[in-house]
Amino acid sequence: MGTVITWWGHATCTVEDSGVRVLTDPLLVRRLAHLRRRRGQVPPPEALVADAVLVSHLHSDHLHLRSLSRLAPGTRLIVPRGAGRSVPGLRRLDARRNPGGLRITEVDAGDEVEIGALRIRAVPARHDGRRLPVGPHRSPALGYVISGESRTYFAGDTGLFDGMADAVGPVDTALLPVGGWGPRLGPEHLDAGRAAQALARLAPRATVPVHYGTYWPIGLDAVRPHEFYAPGHEFVRKAARLAPKVTVHLLRHGESARPEDGR
């Protein structure tokens, strides 16, 4: 059957492996606060069909309550440890409080969860995991390795860090952020160049660049627009130089790839 990766935009992907559908960081709206979706349609209802949903950290463009509320009752939701304490709205979605809610599991780096034939392992990320703009640092930022017929690494948001390859372990496909939603990226993010460096360290067989070219601040359309459009193609160029053996799948919004067979 193989693994199928569908990119819906930003950090939202569906990973289909071993008959199980895993959705990452669902953000399924046209506008979020000062951000507007500038490329790609809002994902269709089929994007919400998932056996499990992974949330990498508590920032509202990754843990988006309105998108999570549209998931089918009983969907398994995996979030960083302390998320329920830090995000009160998440507690209202918990099946233990709401019979029509989600089955929420909190994890830390190193924890593993089984979803059908898949094993999902939380791995560390270098990123501020707080629910901004306020709140103590109570929850870690995480990535996840989804293991079934193949091993898929979803990095969430992260910068480069020492021991990254050892923490993640061997993987077949890496879903790596290569941009952001504004003209500046701090060290706790991967831009196209740092993502290519991460790719060289991880050495998967294939990669899909994500977290770029979807949302942009309202009113900044004319400010450094290349920061919005360029990261995907820039990543392709830099990956070819730093990790030439890795196949890069540069997807359009809503497009799918089968990394194992090169399509």
Side-chain angles (χ1 to χ4, degrees):
M1 182 182 300
T3 301
V4 179
I5 309 292
T6 302
W7 182 49
W8 302 110
H10 203 54
T12 306
C13 300
T14 295
V15 179
E16 299 177 71
D17 188 334
S18 305
V20 181
R21 288 173 61 98
V22 177
L23 180 64
T24 66
D25 286 354
L27 183 58
L28 308 174
V29 293
R30 188 167 302 280
R31 178 174 173 177
L32 171 63
H34 66 299
L35 304 178
R36 182 181 64 197
R37 191 176 182 106
R38 286 190 55 201
R39 184 187 281 175
Q41 298 298 314
V42 174
E46 67 187 77
L48 289 163
V49 179
D51 299 289
V53 176
L54 308 180
V55 169
S56 61
H57 61 289
L58 306 190
H59 293 175
S60 57
D61 59 324
H62 293 260
L63 195 166
H64 185 247
L65 292 171
R66 184 147 57 97
S67 295
L68 294 177
S69 71
R70 295 173 57 195
L71 295 167
T75 301
R76 188 76 171 272
L77 177 63
I78 300 171
V79 298
R81 172 187 46 79
R85 177 180 55 191
S86 299
V87 185
L90 188 61
R91 296 197 291 268
R92 292 193 291 271
L93 299 179
D94 194 331
R96 289 168 292 189
R97 297 169 176 261
N98 174 7
L102 308 174
R103 295 184 296 132
I104 300 176
T105 300
E106 297 191 0
V107 296
D108 209 338
D111 291 343
E112 294 189 352
V113 178
E114 291 188 0
I115 307 291
L118 300 185
R119 185 176 72 256
I120 297 174
R121 175 169 55 92
V123 298
R126 184 192 174 196
H127 195 70
D128 187 336
R130 290 177 295 177
R131 186 70 163 182
L132 299 177
V134 296
H137 197 136
R138 290 179 174 173
S139 293
L142 300 172
Y144 296 94
V145 176
I146 304 163
S147 297
E149 293 185 32
S150 65
R151 289 165 297 193
T152 302
Y153 168 48
F154 169 61
D157 251 351
T158 186
L160 283 169
F161 59 91
D162 293 339
M164 184 180 198
D166 290 337
V168 173
V171 292
D172 300 295
T173 304
L175 312 181
L176 296 178
V178 302
W181 49 254
R184 294 185 181 85
L185 284 176
E188 291 189 339
H189 299 79
L190 295 179
D191 59 13
R194 291 193 291 267
Q197 293 177 50
L199 191 66
R201 297 183 189 185
L202 296 166
R205 289 189 294 177
T207 185
V208 177
V210 302
H211 204 287
Y212 78 100
T214 307
Y215 293 93
W216 201 246
I218 295 170
L220 292 185
D221 291 27
V223 178
R224 300 178 69 183
H226 65 284
E227 297 284 359
F228 176 82
Y229 291 105
H233 292 287
E234 186 178 352
F235 174 71
V236 171
R237 292 193 297 272
K238 294 189 174 185
R241 180 169 56 86
L242 296 179
K245 295 183 179 180
V246 181
T247 300
V248 180
H249 295 272
L250 187 66
L251 301 181
R252 295 185 294 271
H253 293 79
E255 190 174 20
S256 300
R258 296 180 179 272
E260 290 116 319
D261 60 15
R263 289 185 292 161

